[in-house]
């Protein structure tokens, strides 16, 4: 796991004519200083420019090559580390702030799995039905006024068919919703089944706004371990999260609420990007202050149960304590966000 403290960008251009040339942009990073990050950015940009200039035509470049490196802060391409503001560090665990303000724990060896509930089917909208009914009535009235009784009846009958079909679909979806099991209960059953199959494991279970969170507590594990992949598969963990864990060799947990769940709008693009421009530092400080004050009134997740092995090593216990404190996981009176 690597989450650098300093970031910089470098852009290089090679002019082949007044109207033509090659431009590349790259990130650089360092834990030592901003200057070291800038030097690293220059080095990576020069390497990218050399790659462009050495290719006779653009199609000779690797398909994954990008002239302008503007990918997101999570580094899912595997070429850059996680690019977020560091708020604190305890041992190997790092607390960062993501692009919409939330605090996130990042750890290389304490497995964390978030399970999202599947979306529930929604009844069809009434708008198409009303439009079809109004259209049928209007056409039927016009046809009837012109003396076409039978055609008018046919149009109205067509409108009635639309109504029947819509009602049938609506009732089918309602029946499915009524007969389907509670998604939270189904998720808990998956976790319980995994715990019963692996009684030597320790699984700490939390409720999140739209799912469950599981922290593995019996031993340290790395994202690439087969045991972690088995856990992710059994719990049906989000594939994008699985990819992030493997690319960045870390597990992540959001420990404060999402702003839109707390009645806040997100920060502007200029404020949310990290590193932020010097001209936007004051605006970012103001927004994060408002966010942090509001987040203190919510829980990111709430503790449910400890399954299986209850003993924890000191490092795992330290992460769990920090996680529960930051999430307000024991304060069940707070709303989830």
């Amino acid at each position: 796991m690597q989450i650098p403290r300093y970031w910089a960008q470098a852009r290089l251009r090679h002019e082949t004519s007044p109207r033509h040339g090659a431009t590349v942009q790259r990130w650089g990073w360092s834990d030592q200083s901003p200057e070291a990050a800038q030097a690293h950015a220059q080095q990576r940009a020069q390497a990218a420019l050399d790659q462009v200039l050495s290719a006779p035509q653009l199609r000779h470049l690797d398909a994954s090559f990008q002239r302008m490196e503007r990918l997101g802060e999570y580094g899912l391409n595997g070429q850059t580390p996680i690019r977020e503001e560091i708020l604190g560090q305890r041992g190997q665990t790092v607390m960062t702030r993501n692009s919409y303000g939330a605090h996130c724990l990042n750890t290389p060896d304490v497995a964390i799995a978030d399970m999202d509930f599947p979306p529930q089917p929604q009844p069809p909208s009434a708008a198409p039905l009303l439009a079809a009914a109004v259209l049928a009535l209007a056409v039927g009235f016009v046809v009837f006024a012109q003396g076409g009784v039978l055609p008018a009846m046919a149009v109205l009958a067509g409108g009635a068919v639309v109504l029947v079909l819509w009602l049938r679909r609506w009732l089918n979806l309602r029946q499915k919703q009524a007969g389907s099991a509670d998604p939270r209960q189904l998720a808990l059953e998956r976790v319980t089944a995994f715990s019963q199959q692996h009684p030597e494991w320790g699984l700490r279970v939390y409720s999140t706004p739209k799912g469950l969170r599981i922290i593995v507590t019996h031993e340290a594990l790395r994202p690439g371990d087969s045991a972690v992949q088995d856990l992710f598969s059994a719990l049906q963990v989000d594939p994008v999260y699985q990819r992030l864990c493997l690319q960045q060799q870390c597990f992540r947990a959001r420990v404060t609420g999402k702003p839109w769940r707390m009645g806040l709008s997100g920060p502007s693009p200029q404020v949310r990007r990290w590193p932020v421009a010097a001209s936007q530092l004051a605006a970012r400080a103001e927004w994060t202050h408002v966010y942090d004050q509001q987040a203190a009134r919510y829980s990111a997740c709430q503790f449910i149960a400890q399954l299986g092995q209850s003993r924890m090593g000191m490092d795992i216990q330290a992460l769990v304590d920090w996680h529960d404190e930051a999430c307000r996981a024991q304060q069940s009176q707070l709303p989830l966000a």
Side-chain angles (χ1 to χ4, degrees):
M1 181 181 83
Q2 183 185 20
I3 304 179
R5 290 191 173 275
Y6 303 105
W7 287 86
Q9 277 185 312
R11 178 175 296 196
L12 298 179
R13 178 170 176 81
H14 177 81
E15 297 283 355
T16 56
S17 72
R19 292 188 177 182
H20 298 87
T23 303
V24 296
Q25 175 269 320
R26 288 293 182 269
W27 286 102
W29 55 88
S30 171
D31 283 326
Q32 280 70 49
S33 66
E35 293 76 19
Q38 189 64 59
H40 186 225
Q42 289 290 132
Q43 176 187 357
R44 294 186 71 237
Q46 187 62 58
L49 184 60
D50 292 344
Q51 189 174 351
V52 171
L53 297 178
S54 65
Q57 297 178 1
L58 182 60
R59 66 173 178 269
H60 291 276
L61 291 169
D62 185 271
S64 63
F65 181 85
Q66 290 193 335
R67 295 192 183 212
M68 311 301 286
E69 190 175 60
R70 291 173 176 157
L71 295 177
E73 63 273 14
Y74 300 135
L76 288 174
N77 63 335
Q79 297 176 6
T80 61
I82 293 173
R83 194 178 75 252
E84 292 179 338
E85 179 186 9
I86 294 177
L87 301 177
Q89 183 166 356
R90 299 181 187 178
Q92 295 188 79
T93 302
V94 179
M95 182 81 80
T96 60
R97 186 187 298 277
N98 72 10
S99 60
Y100 53 77
H103 300 190
C104 297
L105 281 180
N106 304 266
T107 174
D109 56 9
V110 180
I112 302 173
D114 277 2
M115 304 167 60
D116 289 335
F117 301 145
Q120 294 295 299
Q122 297 297 316
S125 170
L129 169 68
L130 294 175
V134 170
L135 179 62
L137 287 172
V139 173
F141 177 78
V142 171
V143 173
F144 181 79
Q146 294 177 350
V149 176
L150 291 179
M153 293 178 63
V155 171
L156 293 174
V161 170
V162 172
L163 173 62
V164 169
L165 291 176
W166 184 89
L167 285 174
R168 181 179 296 175
R169 184 182 171 204
W170 186 88
L171 287 172
N172 285 339
L173 283 173
R174 281 298 187 188
Q175 289 173 353
K176 288 181 180 179
Q177 288 179 334
S180 61
D182 177 16
R184 185 175 300 274
Q185 184 60 37
L186 290 175
L188 283 170
E189 288 174 1
R190 287 206 303 272
V191 178
T192 302
F194 185 90
S195 178
Q196 291 172 346
Q197 294 165 7
H198 303 82
E200 73 282 6
W201 283 52
L203 301 176
R204 196 167 173 86
V205 186
Y206 301 82
S207 175
T208 64
K210 292 191 175 181
L212 299 177
R213 172 172 298 164
I214 314 300
I215 300 181
V216 179
T217 58
H218 68 286
E219 68 174 342
L221 293 169
R222 297 279 180 172
D225 291 346
S226 60
V228 171
Q229 299 309 308
D230 291 343
L231 173 73
F232 283 177
S233 177
L235 301 187
Q236 301 176 20
V237 172
D238 176 35
V240 176
Y241 176 73
Q242 295 187 48
R243 180 183 166 198
L244 184 150
C245 291
L246 288 171
Q247 292 279 17
Q248 299 295 352
Q249 286 298 294
C250 80
F251 303 96
R252 282 170 62 87
R254 179 179 55 80
V255 294
T256 60
K258 292 183 175 180
W260 52 90
R261 292 177 182 164
M262 303 186 299
L264 296 175
S265 59
S268 68
Q270 295 79 12
V271 168
R272 69 187 300 162
R273 296 190 186 103
W274 186 259
V276 66
S279 60
Q280 297 295 325
L281 283 173
R284 180 180 174 89
E286 180 180 356
W287 189 87
T288 55
H289 175 70
V290 171
Y291 169 88
D292 289 344
Q293 282 192 318
Q294 186 73 348
R297 302 169 185 165
Y298 292 82
S299 293
C301 66
Q302 292 173 352
F303 176 68
I304 298 177
Q306 173 79 38
L307 303 181
Q309 178 63 253
S310 60
R311 290 198 308 271
M312 305 182 203
M314 291 183 61
D315 291 343
I316 296 177
Q317 183 69 65
L319 177 133
V320 168
D321 291 345
W322 196 6
H323 170 273
D324 286 10
E325 172 192 353
C327 287
R328 298 172 179 82
Q330 304 289 349
Q331 301 182 37
S332 58
Q333 77 281 5
L334 295 178
L336 284 169

